Amino acid sequence: NAGVTQTPKFRVLKTGQSMTLLCAQDMNHEYMYWYRQDPGMGLRLIHYSVGEGTTAKGEVPDGYNVSRLKKQNFLLGLESAAPSQTSVYFCASRDGHPKDEKLFFGSGTQLSVL
Amino acid sequence: AQKVTQAQTEISVVEKEDVTLDCVYETRDTTYYLFWYKQPPSGELVFLIRRNSFDEQNEISGRYSWNFQKSTSSFNFTITASQVVDSAVYFCALSEAGRDDKIIFGKGTRLHILP
C-alpha cells in the first residue's frame, strides 16, 4: 500500500525555471493538500483541494498553481521559481468524512532554487 | 480565521524527565478538530492524536498524554519519562468543521531529549 507518493524527492532549479511537483494517493481520498516547511515557520498551507476539479488557496498561495484533474493526483506548479521558494514541500491527503480524519503525508520534496 | 500558536520554539530536557508542549488555538467555529503530529529527524510526519471540540476528556497513550481545555483554548501534550527517541519536532494543528476545509499547523516545537 503506497499511500501518498511525491515525485520528485529532490530538485534543484535556477531562478525563473518552472517545474511541477506530483502528488499521488491510492486511498481514494477526497481532500488533498500542499504544504511547505521552512525553518522556524512550521508547515504552511499553499493550496488544497476538496475534490476532483476543485482547488482553493491556503495561507501562502502566491507563486504557485495547482490542478486536480484526477481524484488521485494533485499537482503543484511553480511557473517562475524564486529563491524564496526553496523549501521542503509536503503533500497530504485525507478522506474528509468525517472532518476529523487525520492527514496522510508524503515523504516530502526538497526543492532548492538558486 | 483559524490560528495555532506553539510558543515554545525549542525545548531541551534530560532523559526521563517529563516535558509538556503547549498549543493554543483560535477559531470562530464551535465545532473543530485538533491534532498533534511528530516529525522525527528522518523527516516524515507521524500522526499522534486527534480530538474534536465536543470531547474534553484527557487522553493517555503510554507515556503520552494530552490535556484539552476549551476554557483556555489549549491542547497541550505531555511526555512522561522522556526518552531519546522522543527527540523530534512536534506540530499542533487545527481543522474547522465549517465550509473552510483548511488544516492549519503551528510553527512546531523542537524537542531535544539529552541522554
Side-chain angles (χ1 to χ4, degrees):
Chain A
N1 190 352
V4 179
T5 303
Q6 291 182 233
T7 52
K9 295 191 186 306
F10 303 94
R11 186 71 185 269
V12 178
L13 290 178
K14 294 182 179 179
T15 297
Q17 287 185 320
S18 63
M19 79 161 294
T20 300
L21 280 66
L22 170 64
C23 178
Q25 53 94 4
D26 61 2
M27 296 171 282
N28 201 35
H29 284 170
E30 291 289 341
Y31 295 8
M32 297 186 75
Y33 301 81
W34 275 108
Y35 291 89
R36 60 178 288 175
Q37 183 177 15
D38 303 290
M41 300 300 293
L43 290 161
R44 292 183 292 171
L45 181 63
I46 305 172
H47 286 281
Y48 64 104
S49 168
V50 300
E52 182 178 317
T54 72
T55 63
K57 294 181 180 180
E59 302 171 279
V60 289
D62 294 343
Y64 304 95
N65 56 74
V66 287
S67 65
R68 184 99 180 267
L69 298 179
K70 292 183 178 181
K71 186 177 183 179
Q72 64 267 35
N73 296 335
F74 194 29
L75 279 62
L76 178 70
L78 286 73
E79 290 186 349
S80 179
S84 60
Q85 294 177 305
T86 292
S87 188
V88 179
Y89 292 85
F90 285 97
C91 177
S93 71
R94 68 171 180 167
D95 190 13
H97 302 284
K99 284 199 173 186
D100 65 341
E101 277 300 307
K102 66 180 183 181
L103 287 170
F104 291 79
F105 282 91
S107 57
T109 296
Q110 175 76 60
L111 176 65
S112 295
V113 183
L114 306 178
Chain B
Q2 63 205 97
K3 184 179 179 182
V4 176
T5 301
Q6 295 181 256
Q8 303 152 307
T9 304
E10 201 158 345
I11 300 174
S12 294
V13 300
V14 176
E15 196 173 18
K16 298 184 183 178
E17 288 185 352
D18 299 347
V19 58
T20 296
L21 309 182
D22 297 333
C23 173
V24 174
Y25 61 91
E26 295 177 27
T27 177
R28 294 178 184 176
D29 275 19
T30 55
T31 302
Y32 51 90
Y33 310 99
L34 297 162
F35 305 82
W36 276 94
Y37 285 84
K38 174 182 179 179
Q39 187 178 42
S42 55
E44 76 270 26
L45 285 146
V46 179
F47 168 79
L48 294 177
I49 190 172
R50 63 173 166 246
R51 172 68 73 231
N52 72 59
S53 53
F54 297 110
D55 182 5
E56 284 196 75
Q57 282 192 335
N58 292 332
E59 180 149 345
I60 298 175
S61 176
R63 296 183 296 106
Y64 295 172
S65 62
W66 290 268
N67 181 268
F68 175 33
Q69 291 195 337
K70 290 178 72 171
S71 60
T72 56
S73 297
S74 64
F75 186 41
N76 296 337
F77 173 32
T78 297
I79 301 175
T80 303
S82 61
Q83 299 177 1
V84 173
V85 292
D86 296 326
S87 296
V89 180
Y90 291 86
F91 292 100
C92 181
L94 168 67
S95 173
E96 295 174 331
R99 289 192 304 169
D100 190 327
D101 293 297
K102 298 176 183 177
I103 303 176
I104 301 300
F105 284 76
K107 293 184 178 181
T109 297
R110 183 175 297 276
L111 178 63
H112 300 278
I113 308 298
L114 308 174

